[in-house]
Amino acid sequence: MDKQVLFLKFFDFITSVHQTTHAFTKGAKLEDVTPVQYKMLEYVAVSQPVTLSSIGDCIHMSLPNTSREIKKLMQKGLCEKVADADDRRKQLIRLSEKGQQLMNGIFGHMLSQLEGRIGTLSDEKLKEIEQALDLLHDQVFRT
Amino acid sequence: MDKQVLFLKFFDFITSVHQTTHAFTKGAKLEDVTPVQYKMLEYVAVSQPVTLSSIGDCIHMSLPNTSREIKKLMQKGLCEKVADADDRRKQLIRLSEKGQQLMNGIFGHMLSQLEGRIGTLSDEKLKEIEQALDLLHDQVFRT
DNA sequence: TTTTATAGTTATCATATGATAATTATTTAG
DNA sequence: CTAAATAATTATCATATGATAACTATAAAA
């Protein structure tokens, strides 16, 4: 097994995943949300409610900057903040109704994009794809 | 086959690919190169020589901004520019010796990171991984 | 209880990035 | 040949992002 060849294949693969991701979110209406703010929304959507600190950890941003960007998202009416009852230093962030609708729209858009790519495949093929996702996730892209 | 479940798996997969990519290039010394400039270098490295326009197309940047950033990369001594003999409007960009060495170092770093993840796997497992890469590349992440 | 650590805020600065208009040089189309 | 169209440059502006210092409030440790 030529590791060099496999590496090139990885590199190519990673590039195409990035491009596909870009194509997926492209076209979804993100009116007033910057790239970093979108990453935050994505993380909050999946993990809510979350503390400011964990958002910062996840997207590699300092607490002051995280605080600033969350503040902007709240001003846009996309996020809400609740003080943690157990530890009142902590602020729990979750999507507002409007933010939830925004993310639902985006996930729906991504879903239809994906549907366009794999919609016509047989169940058997889909099983193969699922297994391939699992394999690479576990063996290579584990975090 | 539940498409909803598959979608969640995709979403998770894409996230972990992004995180892994981040971890891969992290630690590689990129002294004086901004993220956008790094993307340019990466593209030039695999496709050189390339025109300014094609760089801009690839990384979704306007020609004026592409021109500005390439200029910076040339000032850092990482790129070189040659006028195309056939069409003298075109400027062909390629890595300088120094730029080539930089990218060699980074690719080497990524290779060793990858090695750390798959180095102990059997040849059989590696074959499976290769097939999984091919499958997903062709069926899902084709561009 | 005093000290120390944690979670977050606010303010400020520097730099990176994105958008656009105006210009030059060259090539291609009519 | 003249009139587009293409490739790139330069200049300028606005905004996004990253870094840091100083601060408040709360919780945990001594």
Side-chain angles (χ1 to χ4, degrees):
Chain A
M1 174 95 269
D2 188 343
K3 289 272 175 62
Q4 198 77 30
V5 168
L6 195 53
F7 173 68
L8 290 176
K9 216 163 246 197
F10 270 114
F11 191 80
D12 202 43
F13 181 77
I14 289 171
T15 302
S16 63
V17 171
H18 280 93
Q19 286 181 353
T20 303
T21 309
H22 190 265
F24 267 33
T25 48
K26 197 94 181 184
K29 52 186 162 62
L30 274 177
E31 311 163 20
D32 206 25
V33 178
T34 71
V36 167
Q37 285 166 10
Y38 173 72
K39 279 201 289 181
M40 301 176 84
L41 288 176
E42 207 171 68
Y43 175 64
V44 173
V46 177
S47 309
Q48 59 186 328
V50 286
T51 63
L52 272 177
S53 301
S54 68
I55 298 174
D57 283 349
C58 177
I59 68 175
H60 309 286
M61 188 157 58
S62 71
L63 204 42
N65 292 334
T66 307
S67 175
R68 178 187 61 201
E69 296 306 317
I70 283 292
K71 192 175 169 189
K72 289 179 190 168
L73 286 172
M74 289 194 304
Q75 283 164 355
K76 298 177 209 282
L78 298 172
C79 282
E80 291 169 352
K81 191 190 286 182
V82 193
D84 188 321
D86 298 326
D87 185 340
R88 285 187 307 176
R89 289 171 303 181
K90 292 183 180 171
Q91 303 291 325
L92 293 176
I93 309 295
R94 60 179 184 194
L95 296 184
S96 67
E97 189 54 40
K98 183 179 170 190
Q100 193 65 60
Q101 281 174 16
L102 176 71
M103 292 313 285
N104 285 347
I106 290 169
F107 287 141
H109 180 263
M110 289 176 68
L111 186 56
S112 77
Q113 292 282 112
L114 180 62
E115 189 69 20
R117 282 166 185 249
I118 64 171
T120 62
L121 299 179
S122 68
D123 243 48
E124 204 176 337
K125 204 72 180 176
L126 291 179
K127 269 273 175 262
E128 279 181 42
I129 288 175
E130 186 175 8
Q131 286 168 6
L133 287 172
D134 287 338
L135 177 67
L136 293 181
H137 188 278
D138 294 344
Q139 302 287 344
V140 186
F141 300 109
R142 66 193 124 83
T143 50
Chain B
M1 173 96 269
D2 188 344
K3 290 269 174 66
Q4 198 78 30
V5 169
L6 194 53
F7 173 68
L8 290 177
K9 216 162 244 196
F10 269 114
F11 191 80
D12 202 45
F13 181 77
I14 288 171
T15 301
S16 64
V17 170
H18 280 93
Q19 286 182 353
T20 303
T21 308
H22 190 264
F24 267 33
T25 48
K26 198 93 180 182
K29 50 185 166 60
L30 275 177
E31 310 163 22
D32 204 25
V33 178
T34 71
V36 168
Q37 285 165 11
Y38 174 72
K39 281 202 288 181
M40 300 176 85
L41 286 177
E42 207 171 68
Y43 176 64
V44 173
V46 288
S47 309
Q48 60 187 326
V50 286
T51 63
L52 271 178
S53 301
S54 69
I55 298 174
D57 283 349
C58 179
I59 66 175
H60 309 285
M61 188 160 58
S62 71
L63 205 43
N65 292 336
T66 306
S67 176
R68 177 188 60 202
E69 297 306 318
I70 283 291
K71 192 175 169 187
K72 290 179 189 166
L73 287 173
M74 289 195 302
Q75 282 163 356
K76 297 177 210 281
L78 298 172
C79 282
E80 292 169 351
K81 191 189 287 181
V82 193
D84 187 322
D86 297 327
D87 185 340
R88 284 186 307 174
R89 289 169 305 180
K90 294 182 180 172
Q91 302 292 325
L92 294 175
I93 309 294
R94 60 178 184 192
L95 297 183
S96 67
E97 187 55 39
K98 183 180 171 190
Q100 193 67 60
Q101 281 174 14
L102 176 71
M103 293 312 287
N104 285 348
I106 289 169
F107 286 141
H109 180 263
M110 291 175 67
L111 185 55
S112 77
Q113 292 283 112
L114 180 63
E115 189 68 18
R117 283 165 184 250
I118 64 171
T120 61
L121 299 179
S122 67
D123 244 47
E124 204 176 337
K125 204 75 179 172
L126 291 179
K127 269 271 175 265
E128 280 180 43
I129 287 175
E130 186 175 8
Q131 285 168 7
L133 287 172
D134 287 338
L135 178 67
L136 294 180
H137 188 279
D138 294 344
Q139 302 286 344
V140 186
F141 299 109
R142 68 192 122 82
T143 52

